[in-house]
């Protein structure tokens, strides 16, 4: 198969509630949508990059540049039998995992459609439903925090994760633990601690957390290994794992017992499946994080999360959690904390091209 035509778009999707970032409130989610045509079929992928380089280094501008100048030209010149071969061809471009993941995703959709199977089947997925967990941001008022957690539990979420940072960690987690003794509770620090604060992190060990996610900055696998040796709470790595190699190193060093595996962050579904296989062979649990994706990106995430080693609840919710209108139909829904993995061929959802057209702020066609 060879991709003959690519339409690359940037869309601006209105969010139900503003997304808080280090530099302000965003009411529109900027996403790149990749539409790839081959053999009379159309495949869709999404570049779930954030608008500023605070989570990873990529932005919509860097992704547009790298796709337009390098990755799309490679795709238009490469014959492949499976998208894994296309992923190998993309390896000549260093890094830029989210740009690669979006284009590779469109190829996975094409590949699954040609074979008349779902994305999940194409990847070897076995789960029919994904357990849904939820993330509570930095709500700096314990009463308001408890109300939010209570609502989320009532909505059926299977795991509560609190964002923490130095000075806002033990007290809020302890309050939630005492109010809801049975709820699976996790904490995510997004790399905001350094090793001088190890005692503050060790204190969290008494709260029976299911995991402590990314306490230290991404490059510091060694500090994570040293902390894991001192605490019983499983450490989870998110930002630290950007490739199969990162995962190999983390496993070798003992830096984590869990990996938050986002296909976009590691360069696509091929790499995500390889990390899944590696983690599984070492008894490391994986689960699927979210990047505030539209339904297109989310369908790809659900397919990856259907692999057998994804044994913990995902940070994936229904479309209605984020969007007034999603760009897929039917929208993705969570019932009793479970999201069904789409079963139809390809994405298994209808892409609302009319809505995408209305939300488009930029487009370019490549042939
Ligand atoms: Mg995280």
């Amino acid at each position: 198969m060879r991709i003959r035509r690519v339409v690359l778009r940037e869309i601006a999707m209105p969010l139900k509630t503003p997304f808080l970032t280090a530099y302000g409130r965003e009411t529109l989610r900027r996403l790149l949508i990749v539409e790839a045509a081959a053999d009379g079929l159309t495949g869709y992928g999404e570049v779930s990059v954030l608008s500023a380089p605070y989570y990873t280094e990529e932005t919509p501008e860097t992704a547009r540049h790298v796709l337009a100048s390098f990755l799309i030209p490679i795709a238009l010149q490469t014959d492949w039998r499976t998208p894994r071969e296309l992923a190998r061809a993309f390896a000549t471009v260093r890094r830029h995992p989210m740009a690669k993941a979006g284009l590779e995703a469109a190829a996975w959709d094409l590949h699954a459609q040609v074979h008349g199977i779902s994305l999940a089947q194409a990847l070897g997925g076995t789960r029919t439903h994904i357990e849904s967990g939820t993330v509570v941001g930095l709500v700096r008022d314990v009463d308001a925090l408890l109300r939010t957690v209570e609502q989320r539990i009532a909505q059926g979420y299977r795991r509560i994760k609190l964002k923490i940072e130095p000075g806002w960690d033990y007290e809020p987690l302890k309050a939630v633990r005492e109010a809801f003794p049975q709820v699976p509770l996790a904490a995510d620090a997004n790399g905001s601690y350094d090793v001088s604060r190890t005692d503050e992190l060790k204190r969290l060990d008494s709260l029976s957390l299911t995991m402590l996610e990314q306490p230290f900055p991404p490059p510091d696998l060694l500090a994570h290994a040293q902390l894991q040796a001192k605490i019983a709470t499983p450490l989870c790595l998110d930002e630290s794992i950007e490739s199969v190699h990162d995962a190999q190193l983390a496993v070798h060093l003992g830096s984590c017992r869990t990996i938050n595996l986002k296909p976009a962050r590691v360069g696509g579904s091929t790499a995500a499946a390889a990390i899944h296989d590696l983690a599984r062979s070492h008894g490391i649990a994986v689960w699927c994080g979210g990047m505030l994706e539209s339904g297109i990106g989310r369908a790809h995430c659900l397919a990856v999360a259907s692999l057998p080693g994804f044994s913990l609840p995902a940070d994936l919710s229904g479309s209605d959690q984020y969007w007034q209108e999603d760009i897929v139909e039917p929208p993705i829904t969570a019932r009793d904390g479970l999201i069904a993995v789409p079963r139809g061929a390809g994405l298994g959802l209808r892409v609302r091209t009319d809505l995408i057209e209305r939300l488009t702020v930029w487009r370019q066609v490549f042939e």
Side-chain angles (χ1 to χ4, degrees):
M1 178 171 255
R2 188 191 285 204
I3 293 171
R4 302 290 171 182
R5 183 173 196 265
V6 175
V7 183
L8 180 63
R9 297 164 187 271
E10 181 176 325
I11 62 169
M13 267 177 92
L15 284 156
K16 256 187 178 174
T17 35
F19 178 54
L20 301 179
T21 68
Y23 73 109
R25 288 155 64 90
E26 289 184 39
T27 54
L28 294 170
R29 175 79 170 101
R30 297 173 66 193
L31 292 167
L32 303 186
I33 300 296
V34 181
E35 183 187 315
D39 298 355
L41 300 167
T42 304
Y44 286 92
E46 171 183 313
V47 181
S48 310
V49 71
L50 300 180
S51 55
Y54 298 145
Y55 174 70
T56 66
E57 73 277 20
E58 292 178 86
T59 66
E61 285 76 14
T62 69
R64 272 165 52 168
H65 165 59
V66 168
L67 280 160
S69 301
F70 305 104
L71 296 172
I72 292 172
I74 291 171
L76 293 173
Q77 289 165 28
T78 305
D79 291 306
W80 46 273
R81 278 163 304 170
T82 94
R84 292 183 180 90
E85 293 172 8
L86 197 55
R88 269 201 293 281
F90 291 161
T92 54
V93 174
R94 301 238 187 252
R95 298 191 51 82
H96 298 282
M98 293 202 186
K100 289 174 181 170
L103 185 50
E104 192 200 306
W108 277 106
D109 184 13
L110 286 168
H111 175 74
Q113 288 181 56
V114 161
H115 291 86
I117 56 176
S118 68
L119 280 177
Q121 286 173 303
L123 288 166
T126 52
R127 295 174 188 275
T128 59
H129 291 77
I130 306 301
E131 283 192 294
S132 175
T134 184
V135 187
V136 182
L138 292 164
V139 179
R140 290 177 186 288
D141 173 291
V142 170
D143 291 331
L145 172 66
L146 291 175
R147 281 197 300 278
T148 303
V149 170
E150 188 174 18
Q151 278 169 7
R152 303 282 178 94
I153 292 171
Q155 286 166 349
Y157 288 106
R158 305 287 178 102
R159 187 265 289 129
I160 303 289
K161 183 170 95 177
L162 302 193
K163 292 283 188 182
I164 61 166
E165 62 178 21
W168 181 257
D169 44 31
Y170 183 77
E171 297 305 330
L173 285 165
K174 179 166 168 278
V176 172
R177 176 45 79 225
E178 284 176 358
F180 308 99
Q182 303 302 328
V183 77
L185 179 63
D188 184 2
N190 289 104
S192 56
Y193 291 75
D194 61 46
V195 289
S196 72
R197 295 183 176 272
T198 297
D199 285 345
E200 292 160 52
L201 296 168
K202 280 163 78 176
R203 198 173 173 216
L204 307 182
D205 231 4
S206 63
L207 299 171
S208 306
L209 302 181
T210 59
M211 71 187 84
L212 171 58
E213 184 173 334
Q214 197 70 48
F216 300 128
D220 212 343
L221 290 177
L222 195 56
H224 285 99
Q226 288 165 342
L227 178 62
Q228 184 65 90
K230 290 179 192 145
I231 63 171
T233 305
L235 288 186
C236 172
L237 292 177
D238 175 352
E239 289 93 326
S240 287
I241 308 298
E242 294 190 323
S243 65
V244 179
H245 178 260
D246 289 340
Q248 286 167 334
L249 200 55
V251 168
H252 180 76
L253 291 172
S255 306
C256 64
R257 294 198 192 130
T258 301
I259 295 173
N260 172 349
L261 191 39
K262 301 175 185 174
R265 196 193 62 233
V266 300
S269 300
T270 300
I275 293 172
H276 159 272
D277 295 348
L278 172 83
R280 200 166 179 228
S281 69
H282 287 86
I284 289 183
V286 297
W287 56 280
C288 189
M291 289 293 305
L292 210 57
E293 297 93 353
S294 78
I296 290 176
R298 198 137 299 206
H300 285 283
C301 285
L302 288 170
V304 170
S306 74
L307 291 168
F310 280 79
S311 54
L312 297 170
D315 276 348
L316 301 175
S317 308
S319 303
D320 61 344
Q321 185 80 22
Y322 312 104
W323 316 114
Q324 301 289 356
E325 280 189 295
D326 202 348
I327 56 175
V328 296
E329 212 168 54
I332 289 161
T333 49
R335 280 206 190 87
D336 298 327
L338 291 173
I339 304 177
V341 178
R343 299 164 75 159
L347 282 182
L349 302 165
R350 192 181 77 79
V351 173
R352 296 180 61 189
T353 50
D354 54 333
L355 180 56
I356 289 178
E357 193 64 49
R358 266 190 281 140
L359 299 175
T360 296
V361 295
W362 172 90
R363 84 197 275 273
Q364 195 172 343
V365 179
F366 304 83
E367 284 172 315

